Amino acid sequence: MSEAGKPALRAKELAVFLLFGGLAAVTNLLVGWQLYARGFFPHLPYWCATAIAATSGLFVNFGLNYAFNFKYRDRSVLQQFSTFCIVSLIGVGITSALSNGILSILNTYAGPAFHLGGVAVRSVFAAHFGAVGLTVLYSFPAHKCMSFNMGIRAQLQHVYAQISERT
């Protein structure tokens, strides 16, 4: 591919990643809603419900992106999925930490629920929704660079080699 076509490819990959990420986010939010709001598991801690929900989104995201978006095939699907899981596990931690932090802020300033455009919104859902949205800022570059590419170890070796050349 020519250098001129690379920005267009990256833009397409980002757009498709966001679409698939949106589907994964919907999966994440629906699973979370079932766990922490519907009462199916009344003693399940909120942080655990959001972590389980994020993990369900992981499977949707990988499957769609591997099959339809990223075409890197110099590593097996299992190797790419393994890297995807590591990168995503960090994303699960980010989502869980952000949702707890945002929830603390919302509970302090708005309480357990607030109105947004005349609609009552529970703070737990708003915190989860905000955290999922913010986590994409980490997810796309990490997955493009590592999961659907040469992997974490090879990327670190590449960076180390570049640093060594400069010193």
Side-chain angles (χ1 to χ4, degrees):
M1 169 169 292
S2 72
E3 288 299 315
K6 286 187 179 180
L9 176 62
R10 278 188 227 118
K12 177 191 171 282
E13 286 176 340
L14 175 59
V16 173
F17 184 83
L18 291 173
L19 173 66
F20 292 162
L23 293 171
V26 167
T27 300
N28 181 335
L29 293 167
L30 289 174
V31 169
W33 183 252
Q34 295 302 312
L35 293 174
Y36 62 72
R38 301 285 298 189
F40 289 146
F41 299 95
H43 301 294
L44 187 66
Y46 176 72
W47 68 267
C48 187
T50 57
I52 292 168
T55 301
S56 68
L58 171 145
F59 288 107
V60 170
N61 202 340
F62 177 80
L64 290 173
N65 275 293
Y66 181 82
F68 302 110
N69 194 16
F70 297 105
K71 301 302 177 199
Y72 188 85
R73 298 296 187 255
D74 289 348
R75 294 170 57 224
S76 72
V77 65
L78 182 59
Q79 290 172 315
Q80 289 184 55
F81 182 70
S82 296
T83 303
F84 189 91
C85 287
I86 293 167
V87 170
S88 294
L89 186 58
I90 295 167
V92 168
I94 291 169
T95 301
S96 187
L98 283 172
S99 59
N100 273 303
I102 295 168
L103 180 60
S104 293
I105 292 167
L106 287 174
N107 281 337
T108 299
Y109 293 103
F114 59 92
H115 289 351
L116 185 64
V119 175
V121 179
R122 292 184 59 196
S123 292
V124 290
F125 184 79
H128 187 185
F129 185 86
V132 168
L134 288 170
T135 301
V136 78
L137 299 173
Y138 153 81
S139 294
F140 177 74
H143 287 304
K144 174 137 178 78
C145 260
M146 292 183 242
S147 302
F148 299 107
N149 207 312
M150 64 178 77
I152 297 169
R153 188 174 344 146
Q155 286 289 7
L156 290 173
Q157 289 170 341
H158 179 71
V159 169
Y160 178 75
Q162 287 181 329
I163 292 169
S164 296
E165 287 175 7
R166 291 182 188 161
T167 57

